[in-house]
Amino acid sequence: MSKLFSFSGTDDFCPGGSIYTNPKESSLFLSLGRHVDVYFPSRKRSRISAPFVFSGERFEKKKSSIEVLPDECLFEILRRLPGGQERSSCACVSRRWLTIVSNIRSNEISDNKTTQALDLNYESTDKKGGDVSEVEDEDVAGGYLSRSLEGKKATDVRLAAIAVGTAGRGGLGKLFIRGSNSSRGVTAVGLRAISRGCPSLRVLSLWNLATVGDGGLCEIAEGCHQLQKLDLCHCPAITNESLLSLAKGCPDLTDLTIEGCANIGNEGIQAIARCCPNLKSVSIKDCPLLGDQGIASLLTSASYSLSKLKLQALNITDVSLAVIGHYGKAVTDLSLASLPNVTEKGFWVMGNGHGLQKLKSFTVKACRGVTDLGLEAIGKGCPNLKQFCLGKCAFLSDNGLVSFAKAAGSLESLELEECHRVTQFGFFGSLINCGAKFKAISLMNCLGIKDLNVGLPPLPPCESLRSLSIRNCPGFGDASLAALGKLCPQLQNVELSGLHGITDVGFLPLLESCEAGLVKVNLSGCPNLGDKVVCKMADLHGRTLEMLNLDGCKISDAGLVAIAENCRLLSDLDVSKCTITDSGIAALACSNLIDLQILSVSGCNLVSDKSLPSLGKLGQTLLGLNLQQCKAISSGAVDLLVEQLWRCDILF
């Protein structure tokens, strides 16, 4: 018998018999026991509004009628909503609704005729001859929005929310996912939502996603046919199957970056090369299954479109370099790094292939196959080469560097890093033999560079050189520096960093020889340079100097006074770890000539709270102030500065 019963509010329980003078029919009494009868007249069934009902011996929570609907019915309802904002609002109801909305493809959204049949109030939206779905599709096709998920925020639920939320706001154009939630990481479910809700996606970047496999990228290939740039970094579950699907579904692909994907090999790269005729940029790193066949297919299939190529830590051989040298007709930027199986023959054949006529920028690092013979061939075979960077080339010597400089007539910039067989003769020889377009040279960590023991014979000056950078070359000293001043009179940018061998004696002749006027000077880590250099520089080049870094030099208040009195254009000054005091800061503040934007006094222990007024005055133009490791400045003074200089970023 049901336990649901009703009381009128005036009924009484009376033992011993009936309380009614005119007994009713016995069928209308509900017996509650041996001595209790309750009158229960037949009437219309009352509506149950309680959130819980009895069912047998248990309470059951009442479900709303909308929740009883199966997913198929909800899908049909939600896809008939008139606009993207309405569907986005519905997606906020629950995760179930979000999942359903995110799985609605753009071509499954009901057209305007169906919408009008459901609600005639939307007739006014068709005044211009278009319908609601067409306008929305135009927005989705725009792809104006960019979204990024990192770490714990990278989940399938957030991807579904992005897919729904961007649909009616211009369309998602760029998506970057870095890392993933360890317990609920990005999977094929999240990428399926992006695929169905974001057909306008043009840029996709996936980094460090162990949970993303071929299924997710196959979904992207199926729905995002406008994809142009793809970046896959450390996604171990992705194989050639993904690239096969992307090659078929995304023929407009122009940029491809693959790094640390151990299961991608020749087959996937060959499919991309075969099906993507507009491929312009390819970067592949640390893919052990990729060999000469994959690289050859890239160059032969995209010989007239591929302009940027970067190959690093691959098992390719001289065959790949020969193909590059012959078929790289459109390549303008080439980078080769950590290729252990490439020999001298590969670089020689590449240079003599006469296919790299358009090459402008070339970087070679950690390739043991780079020798004097190969370098000379590259100089002759790349007539338009402008920027050349060599790093960790153990077998390159002075002869090869000078021969290359003679052959590369269009060279504008040369950078050498950890080329220990190159000495001062190769360095000066390249300066002398470079063409009239040569503007910049950089040496970094080249242990073979030693100071000149004998004077150089009279040499023609290198009038075109504008930028000189020598970093962490311990053998470079005063004699070489003085010779450089005479050889390069048009220098404007000078960086001498980490050089303990140069002093005021060597640097002063360079200052006197520079005719054009120095603009940017970096002398950080040169502890033997002092106030004489700064005073002379301020006097001779104060009218042009814009940036000056004296970090770790022997600079005192005298140097700051000279700067304050002469350097009208100086905007960036670094005097970190110098012996300046409050008086030097006051001199800067009192100058009416200088308008600093960036000032660093990090590690200046003689600068104290007394400099607070001066720093406040300088703050009228400052955008950045570094007070780190200034032990004599209290935290209270910094708080006052932060409050006063609200436009300035202060490090403390």
Side-chain angles (χ1 to χ4, degrees):
M1 181 183 293
S2 173
K3 294 185 179 181
L4 183 64
F5 54 89
S6 174
F7 294 97
S8 65
T10 59
D11 298 332
D12 296 324
F13 293 94
C14 298
S18 174
I19 64 173
Y20 297 98
T21 55
N22 296 315
K24 307 294 181 180
E25 297 181 11
S26 60
S27 61
L28 298 180
F29 285 88
L30 178 64
S31 176
L32 296 181
R34 188 176 60 177
H35 302 294
V36 179
D37 290 330
V38 177
Y39 182 54
F40 192 80
S42 47
R43 58 184 176 179
K44 185 177 180 180
R45 184 177 180 182
S46 61
R47 183 174 180 178
I48 302 172
S49 59
F52 295 94
V53 296
F54 291 104
S55 177
E57 299 296 332
R58 302 185 309 273
F59 282 102
E60 282 191 359
K61 186 175 181 179
K62 177 187 174 184
K63 292 184 177 180
S64 60
S65 56
I66 192 69
E67 291 183 359
V68 179
L69 288 176
D71 290 349
E72 293 79 7
C73 293
L74 276 176
F75 180 89
E76 291 298 325
I77 294 172
L78 295 175
R79 81 181 185 91
R80 284 174 167 81
L81 292 177
Q85 293 187 1
E86 287 82 357
R87 286 189 292 276
S88 180
S89 299
C90 289
C92 298
V93 172
S94 65
R95 287 192 177 184
R96 180 192 177 202
W97 284 36
L98 173 62
T99 302
I100 294 174
V101 173
S102 65
N103 279 276
I104 301 176
R105 300 179 185 273
S106 59
N107 58 3
E108 292 174 335
I109 297 174
S110 177
D111 59 16
N112 195 48
K113 295 179 180 179
T114 307
T115 304
Q116 288 179 349
L118 293 175
D119 190 352
L120 297 178
N121 292 332
Y122 285 97
E123 291 181 355
S124 60
T125 62
D126 198 26
K127 292 181 179 180
K128 296 183 179 180
D131 54 46
V132 173
S133 64
E134 288 177 354
V135 175
E136 183 177 291
D137 287 343
E138 289 179 0
D139 291 339
V140 171
Y144 305 118
L145 301 179
S146 177
R147 295 291 183 268
S148 178
L149 295 178
E150 296 185 8
K152 294 182 179 180
K153 295 182 179 180
T155 62
D156 288 337
V157 173
R158 287 184 179 269
L159 284 179
I162 288 175
V164 175
T166 59
R169 296 174 174 84
L172 184 65
K174 299 179 181 180
L175 177 61
F176 304 90
I177 306 177
R178 301 287 190 269
S180 185
N181 191 303
S182 58
S183 58
R184 295 174 297 174
V186 173
T187 65
V189 175
L191 293 181
R192 183 187 303 121
I194 295 295
S195 169
R196 298 188 175 186
C198 307
S200 61
L201 188 67
R202 291 183 174 87
V203 179
L204 177 62
S205 180
L206 306 178
W207 283 25
N208 300 319
L209 299 177
T211 54
V212 172
D214 294 329
L217 280 183
C218 289
E219 292 284 352
I220 293 293
E222 184 177 350
C224 301
H225 301 302
Q226 300 182 35
L227 191 67
Q228 296 178 356
K229 297 182 179 181
L230 177 64
D231 184 1
L232 304 176
C233 180
H234 296 292
C235 298
I238 294 176
T239 69
N240 288 325
E241 181 181 348
S242 295
L243 295 189
L244 291 172
S245 299
L246 288 166
K248 296 178 181 178
C250 307
D252 294 334
L253 198 66
T254 60
D255 292 61
L256 177 64
T257 300
I258 302 175
E259 179 178 343
C261 297
N263 293 310
I264 291 180
N266 293 323
E267 184 180 359
I269 298 299
Q270 287 173 333
I272 293 290
R274 184 171 57 252
C275 300
C276 302
N278 299 321
L279 205 61
K280 296 180 180 179
S281 176
V282 175
S283 176
I284 306 176
K285 177 181 178 181
D286 194 17
C287 296
L289 297 182
L290 183 63
D292 293 327
Q293 293 179 351
I295 301 303
S297 65
L298 276 177
L299 272 299
T300 55
S301 300
S303 59
Y304 293 101
S305 63
L306 189 63
S307 60
K308 295 183 180 180
L309 180 62
K310 182 177 180 180
L311 306 176
Q312 183 173 353
L314 302 177
N315 294 324
I316 60 175
T317 66
D318 294 338
V319 175
S320 293
L321 266 63
V323 174
I324 293 173
H326 185 75
Y327 290 98
K329 301 181 184 299
V331 175
T332 59
D333 296 82
L334 178 61
S335 178
L336 305 175
S338 301
L339 304 178
N341 298 326
V342 172
T343 67
E344 178 185 67
K345 181 180 178 181
F347 283 96
W348 185 87
V349 173
M350 182 175 66
N352 285 282
H354 302 292
L356 297 175
Q357 298 294 309
K358 295 184 178 180
L359 187 65
K360 296 181 180 180
S361 177
F362 190 15
T363 299
V364 183
K365 292 187 176 182
C367 293
R368 296 176 62 86
V370 177
T371 62
D372 295 345
L373 182 64
L375 195 61
E376 183 179 3
I378 291 172
K380 294 179 179 179
C382 306
N384 292 303
L385 186 62
K386 295 182 179 181
Q387 292 146 8
F388 192 36
C389 178
L390 289 169
K392 298 182 180 180
C393 297
F395 298 102
L396 175 65
S397 69
D398 294 337
N399 294 331
L401 187 60
V402 173
S403 299
F404 170 79
K406 291 179 179 179
S410 298
L411 192 66
E412 297 180 0
S413 174
L414 175 63
E415 180 178 333
L416 302 177
E417 180 180 358
E418 295 189 37
C419 297
H420 302 311
R421 293 188 65 185
V422 174
T423 69
Q424 66 272 24
F425 296 105
F427 172 62
F428 282 98
S430 61
L431 286 177
I432 297 169
N433 290 281
C434 277
K437 298 180 180 179
F438 193 59
K439 297 179 181 179
I441 189 168
S442 175
L443 298 180
M444 183 166 59
N445 295 321
C446 293
L447 303 182
I449 299 293
K450 305 295 181 181
D451 203 19
L452 291 173
N453 296 322
V454 294
L456 292 175
L459 300 172
C462 182
E463 297 283 355
S464 61
L465 193 69
R466 297 292 185 272
S467 179
L468 171 69
S469 177
I470 302 176
R471 291 172 286 173
N472 300 319
C473 297
F476 193 88
D478 286 340
S480 299
L481 192 59
L484 271 176
K486 297 178 181 179
L487 187 61
C488 309
Q490 300 298 323
L491 282 175
Q492 294 179 346
N493 304 322
V494 175
E495 179 179 7
L496 304 174
S497 178
L499 303 181
H500 293 251
I502 63 173
T503 66
D504 295 351
V505 175
F507 198 80
L508 288 174
L510 184 140
L511 292 175
E512 296 172 352
S513 301
C514 291
E515 301 173 357
L518 295 175
V519 178
K520 297 181 180 180
V521 178
N522 183 356
L523 304 176
S524 61
C526 298
N528 295 316
L529 293 178
D531 289 329
K532 289 183 179 180
V533 165
V534 176
C535 293
K536 192 69 172 181
M537 189 188 313
D539 181 37
L540 296 177
H541 305 279
R543 68 186 187 280
T544 58
L545 195 62
E546 297 178 3
M547 190 278 286
L548 179 59
N549 189 339
L550 302 171
D551 184 359
C553 298
K554 294 190 300 183
I555 307 301
S556 65
D557 292 339
L560 287 186
V561 171
I563 291 172
E565 293 178 350
N566 295 280
C567 300
R568 297 172 176 268
L569 301 180
L570 190 65
S571 62
D572 188 339
L573 176 62
D574 190 340
V575 287
S576 300
K577 296 189 286 293
C578 294
T579 57
I580 62 172
T581 67
D582 297 325
S583 299
I585 302 296
L588 288 176
C590 293
S591 175
N592 295 324
L593 299 177
I594 193 168
D595 291 324
L596 285 177
Q597 294 183 0
I598 299 176
L599 174 62
S600 177
V601 293
S602 174
C604 296
N605 296 324
L606 299 180
V607 177
S608 66
D609 291 349
K610 294 180 180 180
S611 292
L612 186 61
S614 300
L615 291 173
K617 187 175 181 180
L618 288 170
Q620 296 176 2
T621 59
L622 280 180
L623 300 177
L625 176 61
N626 188 352
L627 300 176
Q628 291 179 315
Q629 299 178 0
C630 292
K631 299 179 181 179
I633 298 180
S634 64
S635 58
V638 174
D639 293 338
L640 291 175
L641 277 177
V642 171
E643 182 178 352
Q644 182 180 359
L645 308 181
W646 56 272
R647 295 175 57 245
C648 180
D649 291 330
I650 300 178
L651 296 178
F652 181 71

Coordinates of all heavy atoms in Angstrom, one line a residue, residues 97-154:
W97 N 26.1 19.7 -20.5 CA 25.7 20.6 -21.6 C 26.9 21.1 -22.3 O 26.9 21.3 -23.6 CB 24.9 21.7 -21.0 CG 23.5 21.3 -20.6 CD1 23.1 20.1 -20.1 CD2 22.3 22.1 -20.8 NE1 21.7 20.1 -19.9 CE2 21.2 21.3 -20.3 CE3 22.1 23.4 -21.2 CZ2 19.9 21.8 -20.3 CZ3 20.8 23.9 -21.2 CH2 19.7 23.1 -20.7
L98 N 28.0 21.4 -21.6 CA 29.2 21.9 -22.2 C 29.8 20.9 -23.2 O 30.2 21.2 -24.3 CB 30.3 22.2 -21.2 CG 31.7 22.6 -21.7 CD1 31.6 23.8 -22.5 CD2 32.6 22.7 -20.5
T99 N 29.7 19.6 -22.8 CA 30.2 18.6 -23.7 C 29.4 18.4 -25.0 O 29.9 18.3 -26.1 CB 30.2 17.2 -23.0 OG1 31.1 17.3 -21.8 CG2 30.8 16.1 -23.8
I100 N 28.1 18.6 -24.8 CA 27.2 18.5 -25.9 C 27.4 19.6 -26.9 O 27.5 19.5 -28.1 CB 25.7 18.4 -25.5 CG1 25.5 17.0 -24.7 CG2 24.8 18.4 -26.6 CD1 24.1 16.9 -24.1
V101 N 27.4 20.8 -26.3 CA 27.5 22.0 -27.2 C 28.9 22.0 -27.9 O 29.0 22.4 -29.1 CB 27.4 23.3 -26.3 CG1 27.7 24.5 -27.1 CG2 26.0 23.4 -25.7
S102 N 29.9 21.6 -27.2 CA 31.3 21.6 -27.8 C 31.4 20.6 -28.9 O 32.3 20.6 -29.7 CB 32.3 21.4 -26.8 OG 32.2 20.1 -26.2
N103 N 30.5 19.6 -29.0 CA 30.5 18.6 -30.1 C 29.6 18.9 -31.2 O 29.4 18.1 -32.1 CB 30.2 17.2 -29.5 CG 31.3 16.6 -28.8 OD1 32.2 15.9 -29.4 ND2 31.4 16.8 -27.5
I104 N 29.1 20.1 -31.2 CA 28.2 20.6 -32.4 C 29.1 21.2 -33.4 O 29.8 22.2 -33.2 CB 27.2 21.6 -31.9 CG1 26.3 21.0 -30.8 CG2 26.3 22.0 -33.1 CD1 25.3 22.0 -30.3
R105 N 29.2 20.6 -34.6 CA 30.0 21.1 -35.7 C 29.3 22.3 -36.2 O 28.1 22.5 -36.1 CB 30.2 20.1 -36.8 CG 30.8 18.8 -36.3 CD 31.0 17.8 -37.5 NE 31.5 16.5 -37.1 CZ 32.8 16.3 -37.0 NH1 33.7 17.2 -37.4 NH2 33.2 15.1 -36.7
S106 N 30.1 23.2 -36.9 CA 29.5 24.4 -37.4 C 28.5 24.1 -38.5 O 27.5 24.8 -38.7 CB 30.6 25.3 -38.0 OG 31.4 24.6 -39.0
N107 N 28.7 23.0 -39.3 CA 27.8 22.7 -40.4 C 26.5 21.9 -39.8 O 25.6 21.7 -40.6 CB 28.5 21.8 -41.4 CG 29.1 20.6 -40.9 OD1 28.9 20.3 -39.7 ND2 29.7 19.8 -41.7
E108 N 26.5 21.6 -38.5 CA 25.4 21.0 -37.9 C 24.4 22.0 -37.2 O 23.4 21.6 -36.8 CB 25.8 19.9 -36.9 CG 26.5 18.8 -37.5 CD 27.1 17.8 -36.4 OE1 27.3 18.3 -35.3 OE2 27.2 16.6 -36.7
I109 N 24.9 23.3 -37.2 CA 24.0 24.3 -36.6 C 22.9 24.5 -37.5 O 23.0 24.7 -38.7 CB 24.8 25.6 -36.3 CG1 26.0 25.3 -35.3 CG2 23.9 26.7 -35.8 CD1 26.9 26.5 -35.2
S110 N 21.7 24.6 -36.9 CA 20.5 24.7 -37.7 C 20.4 26.0 -38.5 O 20.8 27.0 -38.0 CB 19.2 24.6 -36.8 OG 18.0 24.8 -37.6
D111 N 19.9 25.9 -39.7 CA 19.9 27.1 -40.5 C 18.7 28.0 -40.1 O 17.9 27.7 -39.2 CB 19.8 26.8 -42.0 CG 18.5 26.0 -42.3 OD1 17.6 25.9 -41.5 OD2 18.5 25.4 -43.4
N112 N 18.6 29.2 -40.7 CA 17.6 30.2 -40.2 C 16.2 29.7 -40.4 O 15.3 30.1 -39.7 CB 17.9 31.5 -41.0 CG 17.2 32.7 -40.3 OD1 17.3 32.8 -39.1 ND2 16.5 33.5 -41.1
K113 N 15.9 28.9 -41.5 CA 14.6 28.5 -41.7 C 14.1 27.6 -40.5 O 12.9 27.8 -40.1 CB 14.5 27.6 -43.0 CG 14.8 28.5 -44.2 CD 14.8 27.6 -45.5 CE 15.1 28.4 -46.7 NZ 15.1 27.6 -47.9
T114 N 14.9 26.7 -40.0 CA 14.5 25.9 -38.9 C 14.3 26.8 -37.7 O 13.4 26.7 -36.9 CB 15.5 24.9 -38.6 OG1 15.7 24.1 -39.8 CG2 15.0 23.9 -37.5
T115 N 15.2 27.8 -37.5 CA 15.1 28.7 -36.3 C 13.8 29.5 -36.4 O 13.1 29.7 -35.4 CB 16.3 29.6 -36.3 OG1 17.5 28.8 -36.3 CG2 16.3 30.5 -35.1
Q116 N 13.5 30.0 -37.6 CA 12.3 30.8 -37.7 C 11.0 29.9 -37.5 O 10.0 30.4 -36.9 CB 12.2 31.4 -39.1 CG 13.2 32.5 -39.3 CD 13.1 33.1 -40.7 OE1 12.4 32.5 -41.6 NE2 13.8 34.2 -40.9
A117 N 11.1 28.7 -37.8 CA 10.0 27.8 -37.6 C 9.7 27.6 -36.1 O 8.6 27.4 -35.6 CB 10.2 26.4 -38.3
L118 N 10.8 27.6 -35.3 CA 10.7 27.5 -33.9 C 10.3 28.7 -33.2 O 9.6 28.7 -32.2 CB 12.0 27.0 -33.3 CG 12.4 25.5 -33.7 CD1 13.8 25.2 -33.2 CD2 11.4 24.5 -33.2
D119 N 10.8 29.9 -33.7 CA 10.5 31.1 -33.0 C 10.4 32.2 -34.1 O 11.4 32.6 -34.7 CB 11.6 31.5 -32.0 CG 11.3 32.6 -31.2 OD1 10.3 33.3 -31.4 OD2 12.1 32.9 -30.2
L120 N 9.2 32.7 -34.3 CA 9.0 33.7 -35.3 C 9.6 35.1 -35.0 O 9.7 36.0 -35.8 CB 7.5 33.9 -35.6 CG 6.8 32.6 -36.2 CD1 5.3 32.9 -36.4 CD2 7.5 32.2 -37.5
N121 N 10.0 35.2 -33.7 CA 10.6 36.5 -33.3 C 11.9 36.8 -33.9 O 12.4 37.9 -33.9 CB 10.8 36.5 -31.8 CG 9.4 36.5 -31.0 OD1 8.5 37.0 -31.6 ND2 9.4 36.0 -29.9
Y122 N 12.6 35.8 -34.6 CA 13.9 36.0 -35.2 C 13.8 36.4 -36.6 O 14.8 36.5 -37.3 CB 14.7 34.8 -35.0 CG 15.2 34.5 -33.7 CD1 14.6 33.7 -32.8 CD2 16.4 35.2 -33.2 CE1 15.0 33.5 -31.5 CE2 16.8 35.0 -31.9 CZ 16.2 34.2 -31.1 OH 16.6 34.0 -29.8
E123 N 12.5 36.7 -37.1 CA 12.4 37.1 -38.5 C 13.1 38.4 -38.8 O 13.6 38.6 -39.9 CB 10.9 37.3 -38.8 CG 10.1 35.9 -38.8 CD 8.7 36.2 -39.2 OE1 8.3 37.3 -39.3 OE2 8.0 35.2 -39.3
S124 N 13.2 39.3 -37.9 CA 13.9 40.6 -38.1 C 15.4 40.4 -38.4 O 16.0 41.4 -38.9 CB 13.7 41.5 -36.9 OG 14.2 40.9 -35.8
T125 N 16.0 39.3 -38.0 CA 17.4 39.1 -38.2 C 17.8 38.9 -39.7 O 18.9 38.9 -40.1 CB 17.9 37.9 -37.4 OG1 17.3 36.8 -37.9 CG2 17.7 38.2 -36.0
D126 N 16.7 38.7 -40.6 CA 17.0 38.4 -42.0 C 16.7 39.6 -42.9 O 16.5 39.4 -44.1 CB 16.1 37.2 -42.4 CG 16.6 36.5 -43.6 OD1 17.9 36.6 -43.9 OD2 15.8 35.9 -44.3
K127 N 16.8 40.8 -42.4 CA 16.5 42.0 -43.2 C 17.5 42.2 -44.3 O 17.2 42.8 -45.3 CB 16.4 43.2 -42.2 CG 15.2 43.1 -41.3 CD 15.2 44.4 -40.4 CE 14.0 44.3 -39.5 NZ 13.9 45.5 -38.6
K128 N 18.8 41.8 -44.1 CA 19.8 42.2 -45.1 C 20.0 41.1 -46.1 O 21.0 41.1 -46.8 CB 21.1 42.4 -44.3 CG 21.1 43.7 -43.4 CD 22.4 43.9 -42.9 CE 22.4 45.2 -42.0 NZ 23.7 45.4 -41.4
G129 N 19.1 40.1 -46.1 CA 19.2 39.1 -47.1 C 20.0 37.9 -46.6 O 20.1 36.9 -47.3
G130 N 20.7 38.0 -45.5 CA 21.5 36.8 -45.0 C 20.7 36.2 -43.8 O 19.7 36.8 -43.3
D131 N 21.2 35.0 -43.4 CA 20.5 34.4 -42.2 C 21.5 34.4 -41.1 O 22.7 34.7 -41.2 CB 20.0 33.0 -42.5 CG 21.0 32.1 -43.1 OD1 22.1 32.1 -42.6 OD2 20.8 31.5 -44.1
V132 N 21.0 33.9 -39.9 CA 21.8 33.9 -38.7 C 23.0 33.1 -38.9 O 24.1 33.4 -38.5 CB 20.9 33.5 -37.5 CG1 21.8 33.3 -36.3 CG2 19.8 34.5 -37.3
S133 N 22.8 31.9 -39.4 CA 23.9 30.9 -39.5 C 25.0 31.5 -40.4 O 26.2 31.3 -40.2 CB 23.4 29.6 -40.0 OG 22.9 29.7 -41.3
E134 N 24.7 32.2 -41.5 CA 25.7 32.7 -42.4 C 26.5 33.7 -41.7 O 27.7 33.8 -41.9 CB 25.0 33.3 -43.7 CG 24.4 32.2 -44.6 CD 23.7 32.8 -45.8 OE1 23.6 34.0 -45.8 OE2 23.3 32.0 -46.6
V135 N 25.9 34.6 -41.0 CA 26.6 35.7 -40.3 C 27.6 35.1 -39.3 O 28.7 35.4 -39.1 CB 25.7 36.7 -39.6 CG1 26.5 37.7 -38.8 CG2 24.8 37.4 -40.6
E136 N 27.1 34.0 -38.6 CA 27.9 33.4 -37.6 C 29.1 32.7 -38.2 O 30.2 32.7 -37.7 CB 27.1 32.4 -36.8 CG 27.9 31.8 -35.7 CD 27.0 30.9 -34.8 OE1 26.1 31.4 -34.1 OE2 27.1 29.7 -34.9
D137 N 28.9 32.0 -39.4 CA 29.9 31.3 -40.0 C 31.0 32.3 -40.5 O 32.2 32.0 -40.5 CB 29.4 30.6 -41.2 CG 28.6 29.3 -40.8 OD1 28.8 28.9 -39.6 OD2 27.8 28.8 -41.6
E138 N 30.6 33.5 -40.9 CA 31.6 34.5 -41.3 C 32.5 34.9 -40.1 O 33.7 35.0 -40.2 CB 30.9 35.7 -41.8 CG 30.3 35.6 -43.2 CD 29.6 36.8 -43.6 OE1 29.6 37.8 -42.9 OE2 29.1 36.8 -44.8
D139 N 31.9 35.0 -38.9 CA 32.7 35.3 -37.7 C 33.7 34.1 -37.4 O 34.8 34.4 -37.1 CB 31.8 35.5 -36.5 CG 31.0 36.8 -36.7 OD1 31.4 37.7 -37.5 OD2 29.9 37.0 -36.0
V140 N 33.2 32.9 -37.5 CA 34.0 31.8 -37.2 C 35.2 31.7 -38.1 O 36.3 31.3 -37.8 CB 33.1 30.5 -37.2 CG1 34.0 29.3 -37.1 CG2 32.1 30.5 -36.1
A141 N 34.9 32.0 -39.4 CA 35.9 31.9 -40.4 C 37.0 33.0 -40.2 O 38.1 32.9 -40.8 CB 35.4 32.1 -41.8
G142 N 36.7 34.0 -39.4 CA 37.7 35.1 -39.2 C 38.9 34.6 -38.5 O 40.0 34.9 -38.9
G143 N 38.8 33.9 -37.4 CA 39.9 33.4 -36.6 C 40.8 34.4 -36.0 O 42.0 34.5 -36.1
Y144 N 40.1 35.4 -35.3 CA 40.8 36.5 -34.8 C 41.4 36.3 -33.4 O 42.2 37.0 -32.9 CB 39.9 37.8 -34.7 CG 39.3 38.1 -36.0 CD1 37.9 38.1 -36.2 CD2 40.1 38.4 -37.1 CE1 37.3 38.4 -37.4 CE2 39.5 38.8 -38.3 CZ 38.1 38.7 -38.5 OH 37.6 39.0 -39.7
L145 N 40.8 35.3 -32.6 CA 41.1 35.1 -31.2 C 42.3 34.2 -31.0 O 42.6 33.3 -31.8 CB 39.9 34.6 -30.5 CG 38.7 35.5 -30.6 CD1 37.5 34.9 -29.8 CD2 39.0 36.9 -30.0
S146 N 43.0 34.4 -29.9 CA 44.2 33.6 -29.5 C 44.0 33.1 -28.1 O 43.6 33.9 -27.2 CB 45.5 34.4 -29.7 OG 46.6 33.6 -29.2
R147 N 44.2 31.9 -27.8 CA 44.1 31.3 -26.5 C 45.3 30.5 -26.1 O 45.9 29.8 -27.0 CB 42.8 30.5 -26.3 CG 41.5 31.3 -26.5 CD 41.3 32.2 -25.3 NE 40.0 32.9 -25.4 CZ 39.9 34.1 -26.0 NH1 40.9 34.7 -26.5 NH2 38.7 34.7 -26.0
S148 N 45.7 30.5 -24.8 CA 46.8 29.8 -24.3 C 46.5 29.1 -23.0 O 45.9 29.7 -22.1 CB 48.0 30.7 -24.1 OG 49.1 30.0 -23.6
L149 N 46.8 27.8 -22.9 CA 46.6 27.0 -21.7 C 48.0 26.4 -21.3 O 48.7 25.9 -22.1 CB 45.7 25.8 -21.9 CG 44.2 26.2 -22.3 CD1 43.4 25.0 -22.5 CD2 43.6 27.0 -21.1
E150 N 48.3 26.5 -20.0 CA 49.6 26.1 -19.5 C 49.4 25.3 -18.2 O 48.5 25.6 -17.3 CB 50.5 27.2 -19.2 CG 50.9 28.0 -20.4 CD 51.9 29.1 -20.1 OE1 52.5 29.1 -19.0 OE2 52.2 29.9 -21.0
G151 N 50.2 24.2 -18.0 CA 50.2 23.5 -16.8 C 48.8 22.9 -16.4 O 48.1 22.2 -17.2
K152 N 48.4 23.2 -15.1 CA 47.2 22.6 -14.6 C 45.9 23.1 -15.3 O 44.9 22.5 -15.2 CB 47.1 22.9 -13.1 CG 48.2 22.3 -12.3 CD 48.0 22.6 -10.8 CE 49.0 21.9 -9.9 NZ 48.9 22.2 -8.5
K153 N 46.0 24.2 -16.0 CA 44.9 24.8 -16.7 C 44.6 24.0 -18.0 O 43.5 24.2 -18.6 CB 45.1 26.2 -17.0 CG 45.1 27.1 -15.7 CD 45.3 28.6 -16.1 CE 45.4 29.4 -14.8 NZ 45.5 30.9 -15.1
A154 N 45.5 23.2 -18.4 CA 45.4 22.5 -19.7 C 44.6 21.2 -19.5 O 45.1 20.2 -19.2 CB 46.7 22.2 -20.3

